[in-house]
Amino acid sequence: MTPAMPSQLFYGGDYNPEQWGREVWLEDMRLMREAGVNLVTLAVFSWATLEVADGVYEFGWLDEIIGLLHENGISVDLATATASPPAWLTIANPEVLPVNYQGTRLSHGGRQGYCISSPIYKAKSGQLAAKLAERYGKHPAIKMWHVNNEYGCHNPICYCDVSALAWREWLKKRYSNLEELNLAWGTNFWSQRYHSWDEVLPPRETPTGTYPNPSMTLDYRRFSNDQILDLYLNERDIIRGFDSVNPITTNFMSMKHTSVLDYWQWAKEVDFVATDHYLMADDERNYIDLAFQADLTRGFAGGKPWLLMEHSTSAVNWQERNIPKAQGEMLANSLSHVARGSNGAMFFQWRQSISGSEKFHSAMVPHTGEKSRIWHNVKELGAKLQELKALAGSETEIAEVAMIFDYQSWWALSQRNLPSTSISYPELAHDWYRALWELGLRVDFVAPGSSAAELSNYKVVLAPMLYLLNTDDEQALIDYSKAGGSLVVSYFTGISNEVDAVKLGGYGGSLVRDHLGVFVDEFAPVRLGEKVSLSNGMSGSEWSQFATTSSADELASYVDGLALGSTALAKSASGRDWYVGTRLDDASNQQLFASLAAELQLEQLGGKGVEVINRGGLQLSIDHNTNRVSWKANV
Ligand code: GAL
C-alpha cells in the first residue's frame, strides 16, 4: 500500500526562506499562524544553496527552518530541490544543458536548465534526493515529498546527441525491428527510409517550409514524456528507500495551453495528484477555465481528492498585462478548486520576493505587508477553510457527463501540415465545457482508452476532436453507445490510428462512418474570420466538411460556404449519439447541449455565472457575478 494524502484541508504555499534574513523568518511564523497556514512547500529552487559545490552539502539553514516551522505547528511539503541545477554542475558538464529544436545549446541562468535524458543530471538529482530523504525522512514536520517542480515546464523536449542515443533505445523497445518503424512512420515518403538505427535522429529543424515526419514527431513527444517520467520515478524510488510513511508527489500543470506531459500516465505514479493553476487575466470568464482544469485534475485522481499546490493570490508576472484579482475573486477561485476536489488551497508563494524575475508576482504576504488588501484576503480565506475542514477526504459528487481528454491527440494536432492551422484541440474542448458550465451541467474527465464499462458510469460521453483512435478504443466507444450510452463526437475525430496513419474509406473510421452513420468525404476549413450558417439557425467557424448521412438523421446542413448542403449536425439512427461537424459558436453550443440535457434528463445545478457543486455533505455555491460564496448542507 502506498502512503495516502493526509486527510486534512491544507493552506499555505511555496516558502523560500533562503531569500530572507532570520528576523523575517520569525515574522513569517507569526503571520503564518495568524492566517491559519498549516503547510508550506520548502526548498523548490534550493539546490545551489544546499549543494554548494559538487558533493559539498550545507543543510544548516534547512535544519533550522524546518525546526522553526515544526515548533510553530506548521507542516512541510519538502521539495527535492532538483528543479534547477546550480551553475557549477553545468559549467563542469556543459552537456547537461538542453539543446533546442534549432540545435542551439541553452545557457544556465533561467530555471530547469537540464537535458531530460542526461545521465549526469539523473545521477546528481538522485543523489540530492537521497541526501534529503535520509536527513529529513523521519522528521515529524515532514508531511509529504514534492519531487522536482512542474516537470517539463521549460525543458519538455531536448534535441541533443545524448538524447538521440536514448531515443534510439526507446524506439528499439517500441518497434521490434527497423522495418516495423519504417512502416509505422511511412518513411517511403520523401526518401525518409532508415537502413540502420544510427540514421534515426531526433526530429530537429529541417529546411524551411518542410517539417519532420509527423509520426516520428508524435513518438518523440511520447519519448520525451517517458524520459521525464523516468527522472521522477528515479527520485521517487530513492526517497521511498528512506521514507515509506509520507506520500510522494509532484505538481502537474493544469493550464489551457500546457500539453507537455501525458498526466493520465503520470497520475498512476504519484501517491496523490497535485497541480498548479493560474488564471489567464485576459479571459473574462477565466473561472470556467479554472473549473475545467480542476475537473480534469479530479479525473487524473480518479475522482479522489487532489491538492491545488499553487495558484496566485492576485496578479502573476508572466502575462502581457498582469491584472490583479478583483475583491472576492481569490476566495471564489480557491473555493471553486476545493468544491471540485482539492484538499486545500496552496499558493505561489508565501512572501513576495524583492529580487529575481518573480518580484512582481503576487504572494500571500505582499510587498506592502500586513496593511494590504491581499493580506486581509489571505486571512479571510484561512478562516473559511477552517470552517470547511470537514470536507477533507470527501469526494466531489460524480457527474452525469464525461469528456475524454487526450494529450496524445493534442500532440498530434499541435503539428503543422494539418488541413488548417486554426484548429485547436484545447479550444474546442473548452468551447464545449463552457457551454455545459453555463447550463449548470457538471463534467468528469476520463482517459482515452477507458473501457465501455468505465464509460457506462455516465449518461453521455463527449469526444471533442479525438483525432487518434486505435481499434480497441474505437470499439469501446461503440460498445458504450450500443449498451445505451450517448456519444457526442466532433469533426476530426477518429482520423488516424495510434501511429498517425490516416484511416481510409470515409473520415472518422468505423465510429463515424459505420456506427454514427455519417460519411465524411472531404474537409473544407473555413477562412479566418468567416462563419458558416446552419439550416437550424446555428452557426460555426473554422471548419466545415463535405459530408452526407448514411444511417444517421441529419439535424442541420450548411446553408452557405463551400460545403453548402452537406451535413453539419447529425444524430445516429439509435437517436442517442450526436455528430458535430463544425466549431459551433457559444450560443449554438449552448443550444445543442441544452437540448441534449433535456432529452437525457440531466440534472442542472446553478448556471449563468453561478457554480453549484456537491462535495461531502455540503452544497457549495460560488457566484462569479458577485464573487460571493456560500454553502449549505446537501440533503
Ligand atoms: C509556476 C512555478 C512557480 C512560479 C509560478 C509563478 O509555474 O511552479 O515556481 O514560478 O509558476 O506563476
Side-chain angles (χ1 to χ4, degrees):
M1 268 257 296
T2 52
M5 171 167 43
S7 186
Q8 194 178 337
L9 278 198
F10 291 110
Y11 187 42
D14 280 25
Y15 183 33
N16 298 304
E18 65 269 45
Q19 296 177 15
W20 302 93
R22 300 292 192 274
E23 65 299 343
V24 178
W25 294 9
L26 296 177
E27 188 184 81
D28 286 338
M29 298 306 115
R30 174 177 68 78
L31 293 177
M32 283 181 190
R33 283 201 318 262
E34 197 176 317
V37 164
N38 57 17
L39 182 75
V40 292
T41 303
L42 268 184
V44 174
F45 294 108
S46 307
W47 193 340
T49 45
L50 290 174
E51 189 177 1
V52 294
D54 199 350
V56 183
Y57 297 94
E58 284 184 3
F59 290 115
W61 69 270
L62 194 56
D63 293 351
E64 221 182 299
I65 193 71
I66 292 178
L68 200 58
L69 286 160
H70 185 53
E71 278 166 31
N72 283 276
I74 298 156
S75 301
V76 173
D77 163 35
L78 189 57
T80 55
T82 54
S84 279
W88 55 256
L89 179 66
T90 49
I91 285 174
N93 309 280
E95 70 272 33
V96 170
L97 288 165
V99 168
N100 69 11
Y101 181 60
Q102 285 80 15
T104 307
R105 193 172 291 283
L106 305 175
S107 186
H108 174 83
R111 61 179 182 184
Q112 280 189 342
Y114 61 87
C115 155
I116 55 177
S117 294
S118 163
I120 298 175
Y121 172 80
K122 184 172 173 181
K124 286 302 300 176
S125 55
Q127 244 173 48
L128 183 56
K131 287 277 175 201
L132 288 162
E134 186 180 21
R135 194 174 185 93
Y136 302 109
K138 301 207 164 39
H139 195 293
I142 309 300
K143 267 266 158 58
M144 58 185 74
W145 290 95
H146 183 109
V147 177
N148 206 279
N149 191 65
E150 291 191 344
Y151 270 111
C153 181
H154 309 286
N155 58 348
I157 301 176
C158 180
Y159 296 89
C160 74
D161 292 337
V162 172
S163 300
L165 293 175
W167 165 229
R168 285 179 206 124
E169 293 314 306
W170 184 91
L171 287 170
K172 285 179 197 165
K173 285 190 206 128
R174 188 170 178 90
Y175 301 103
S176 45
N177 56 56
L178 203 52
E179 187 44 33
E180 205 184 299
L181 176 147
N182 277 313
L183 209 62
W185 290 0
T187 56
N188 283 349
F189 176 82
W190 278 359
S191 187
Q192 290 170 349
R193 171 162 281 274
Y194 298 109
H195 299 280
S196 117
W197 287 104
D198 294 341
E199 294 170 5
V200 186
L201 300 172
R204 296 174 178 139
E205 188 173 28
T206 51
T208 311
T210 73
Y211 299 95
N213 179 302
S215 305
M216 177 201 219
T217 305
L218 175 61
D219 269 350
Y220 207 67
R221 298 290 306 253
R222 292 175 173 141
F223 157 75
S224 302
N225 174 75
D226 291 359
Q227 291 301 98
I228 304 177
L229 186 56
D230 182 57
L231 291 175
Y232 167 76
L233 295 177
N234 183 53
E235 287 196 36
R236 183 199 67 182
D237 294 347
I238 287 171
I239 298 169
R240 188 83 83 218
F242 293 97
D243 178 359
S244 54
V245 174
N246 291 305
I248 306 171
T249 192
T250 185
N251 45 342
F252 296 175
M253 288 175 286
S254 294
M255 297 289 291
K256 186 172 180 181
H257 296 288
T258 301
S259 65
V260 291
L261 301 173
D262 186 343
Y263 288 133
W264 295 110
Q265 293 177 10
W266 280 70
K268 296 182 192 141
E269 306 296 349
V270 291
D271 291 342
F272 66 87
V273 169
T275 202
D276 301 344
H277 179 263
Y278 289 93
L279 295 178
M280 294 308 292
D282 277 346
D283 173 2
E284 280 182 7
R285 288 188 294 164
N286 53 20
Y287 48 85
I288 305 185
D289 171 61
L290 182 157
F292 181 111
Q293 302 300 341
D295 288 348
L296 179 58
T297 307
R298 190 179 65 254
F300 301 145
K304 300 264 174 301
W306 48 278
L307 181 58
L308 176 68
M309 202 56 108
E310 290 179 22
H311 65 322
S312 70
T313 55
S314 193
V316 299
N317 70 307
W318 43 263
Q319 296 177 18
E320 293 300 318
R321 286 156 297 278
N322 296 298
I323 316 291
K325 292 194 179 178
Q327 198 46 37
E329 193 177 351
M330 180 186 101
L331 181 67
N333 293 161
S334 305
L335 292 194
S336 179
H337 282 294
V338 171
R340 291 172 191 275
S342 175
N343 262 1
M346 304 285 291
F347 289 92
F348 175 83
Q349 61 176 329
W350 164 250
R351 185 180 276 278
Q352 189 168 10
S353 307
I354 56 167
S355 308
S357 56
E358 296 189 313
K359 59 182 179 292
F360 294 118
H361 191 293
S362 62
M364 297 173 82
V365 182
H367 288 153
T368 47
E370 289 172 74
K371 290 199 180 118
S372 59
R373 180 180 77 106
I374 289 180
W375 177 245
H376 173 83
N377 294 341
V378 163
K379 283 195 296 185
E380 184 194 15
L381 174 59
K384 294 274 185 220
L385 290 173
Q386 193 58 31
E387 289 172 43
L388 286 169
K389 68 180 181 203
L391 280 186
S394 66
E395 293 182 13
T396 299
E397 190 178 66
I398 186 171
E400 293 178 314
V401 180
M403 185 184 282
I404 302 173
F405 195 78
D406 181 19
Y407 284 96
Q408 305 207 10
S409 285
W410 191 355
W411 294 342
L413 291 168
S414 303
Q415 300 189 34
R416 302 287 300 197
N417 297 329
L418 298 172
S420 162
T421 55
S422 300
I423 53 170
S424 158
Y425 177 72
E427 292 298 341
L428 183 69
H430 276 75
D431 281 1
W432 285 15
Y433 183 93
R434 254 197 327 275
L436 294 156
W437 192 101
E438 291 288 10
L439 292 164
L441 294 162
R442 280 140 302 118
V443 178
D444 285 350
F445 284 86
V446 293
S450 296
S451 66
E454 286 160 337
L455 298 177
S456 71
N457 293 324
Y458 297 96
K459 284 190 178 170
V460 53
V461 171
L462 314 179
M465 243 195 272
L466 193 56
Y467 170 82
L468 300 175
L469 202 50
N470 67 31
T471 318
D472 289 350
D473 298 353
E474 181 173 61
Q475 196 54 48
L477 293 177
I478 296 171
D479 291 346
Y480 159 77
S481 161
K482 284 192 171 154
S486 282
L487 292 170
V488 184
V489 173
S490 86
Y491 60 93
F492 226 40
T493 290
I495 301 302
S496 284
N497 63 11
E498 65 277 11
V499 293
D500 199 4
V502 172
K503 301 180 197 176
L504 301 177
Y507 288 116
S510 72
L511 172 69
V512 175
R513 185 193 54 225
D514 307 327
H515 180 71
L516 300 181
V518 178
F519 181 72
V520 181
D521 177 21
E522 195 179 337
F523 309 130
V526 175
R527 289 189 178 80
L528 206 60
E530 286 183 8
K531 288 190 171 305
V532 277
S533 310
L534 274 55
S535 54
N536 63 353
M538 293 182 178
S539 77
S541 59
E542 282 182 11
W543 195 265
S544 66
Q545 47 196 15
F546 293 97
T548 48
T549 51
S550 46
S551 58
D553 288 332
E554 183 174 280
L555 298 178
S557 59
Y558 299 103
V559 293
D560 52 23
L562 259 179
L564 177 81
S566 277
T567 302
L569 208 58
K571 223 171 179 198
S572 64
S574 72
R576 286 195 305 272
D577 307 311
W578 281 257
Y579 182 74
V580 184
T582 182
R583 183 176 175 194
L584 294 172
D585 61 23
D586 278 0
S588 304
N589 271 323
Q590 280 196 36
Q591 201 181 319
L592 173 76
F593 287 111
S595 46
L596 181 144
E599 280 181 41
L600 300 177
Q601 298 183 334
L602 303 179
E603 184 190 34
Q604 291 172 262
L605 278 179
K608 297 200 170 37
V610 182
E611 58 184 305
V612 179
I613 305 287
N614 296 325
R615 179 178 177 190
L618 295 182
Q619 180 163 87
L620 291 103
S621 149
I622 302 157
D623 183 342
H624 294 279
N625 308 300
T626 59
N627 281 330
R628 288 192 46 163
V629 301
S630 60
W631 57 85
K632 60 179 188 192
N634 175 29
V635 278

